[in-house]
Amino acid sequence: MTDTVGSLVDTADILGGGQLQLVRYGQDYEILFDDEQLMGSWAHRSEEALATLVSDRLGARAERILIGGLGMGFTLAAARTAFSADTSIVVAELVPKVVAWASGLLAPLFGDSLRDPRVLLEIRDVHDVIVEQADSFDAILLDVDNGPDSLIHIANERLYCNWGLRAAHRALRPGGVLAVWSAYQDPVFSERLKQAGFAVEELSVDAGEANPDTWHTIWLATTESEQSAPKF
């Protein structure tokens, strides 16, 4: 972080109640909900890992992926680099003001990400995109709230509950990956993923150089491939 004294530069109302705050610290930014940090521009290694870990597992066969949550664009930027030039990247962001920040106050962080022809940005609830598009994605990357407990928006529980995870399973193609970012570990969520039919890998990822003692959690939940799926 380049400065320790922050100044509020904008706010964003959340559908259903509550407000996000965009705070600037010199050249850095932070997004808060009340006093809870959702993200800071000075530590984004785990957000990037959300994309690179999935790309490492899928390789060139990833034709279409979905990112839930635009944030400060770090997962999107990493996906653009990690995935093939032929991979389509759909980004769903619920809060319109966050999209406005991407081309305004936070434009230096986003660079040309939103001008990439591979990228389709939808101002929608990622849950609705998942439910409407069965067997459509090779990967779904979720960085919504601070994890599966739906801290800032109770409707986000739809993503992480049993039937929400089953909907994500249906939206994935055979061998697809659901990747979930969290600020903390959650053994109950790991078990819930398994109950939804996923093979689950839970990883701890260093949050970034500015936070050497902070570790985030990424779940990589994989559906069965066409070869291993049972035949009926």
Side-chain angles (χ1 to χ4, degrees):
M1 188 189 300
T2 58
D3 199 341
T4 58
V5 179
S7 59
L8 179 67
V9 293
D10 205 357
T11 61
D13 292 331
I14 301 173
L15 183 66
Q19 191 176 73
L20 300 179
Q21 300 176 348
L22 182 64
V23 179
R24 180 167 54 211
Y25 299 85
Q27 299 301 311
D28 289 308
Y29 288 88
E30 179 181 41
I31 296 178
L32 300 171
F33 176 77
D34 291 334
D35 294 327
E36 186 76 23
Q37 185 200 71
L38 297 181
M39 61 200 72
S41 64
W42 56 86
H44 45 80
R45 184 177 297 156
S46 61
E47 286 85 353
E48 293 169 338
L50 188 65
T52 56
L53 288 169
V54 173
S55 174
D56 288 345
R57 283 153 179 77
L58 291 179
R61 67 185 179 88
E63 297 179 1
R64 189 167 185 252
I65 69 169
L66 170 64
I67 298 175
L70 180 61
M72 292 184 173
F74 295 117
T75 299
L76 173 58
R80 292 177 59 217
T81 300
F83 287 94
S84 163
D86 297 323
T87 302
S88 298
I89 304 172
V90 181
V91 182
E93 171 55 54
L94 180 63
V95 183
K97 182 64 78 69
V98 172
V99 176
W101 290 342
S103 57
L105 289 165
L106 300 183
L109 300 180
F110 278 85
D112 60 354
S113 285
L114 297 182
R115 295 189 292 274
D116 189 324
R118 295 175 296 168
V119 175
L120 172 63
L121 175 61
E122 299 191 26
I123 306 178
R124 300 185 62 197
D125 191 328
V126 67
H127 168 269
D128 296 338
V129 178
I130 289 171
V131 169
E132 293 170 6
Q133 301 192 43
D135 196 31
S136 295
F137 301 103
D138 297 292
I140 298 173
L141 285 57
L142 295 181
D143 182 0
V144 177
D145 259 311
N146 264 353
D149 70 353
S150 304
L151 171 70
I152 70 166
H153 191 33
I154 192 62
N156 289 332
E157 184 180 1
R158 299 181 300 170
L159 292 168
Y160 301 126
C161 68
N162 292 332
W163 61 265
L165 295 176
R166 290 195 295 270
H169 195 290
R170 288 191 297 271
L172 288 166
R173 295 167 179 160
V177 178
L178 170 65
V180 178
W181 182 96
S182 177
Y184 45 80
Q185 296 179 321
D186 187 342
V188 173
F189 184 65
S190 295
E191 186 59 33
R192 199 180 304 151
L193 284 165
K194 295 174 185 177
Q195 292 173 357
F198 290 101
V200 180
E201 183 179 4
E202 182 178 338
L203 303 172
S204 292
V205 180
D206 184 358
E209 293 180 4
N211 294 295
D213 298 322
T214 301
W215 294 79
H216 295 154
T217 298
I218 293 177
W219 288 274
L220 299 177
T222 307
T223 66
E224 291 183 310
S225 66
E226 289 179 320
Q227 291 76 22
S228 61
K231 306 299 182 183
F232 297 100

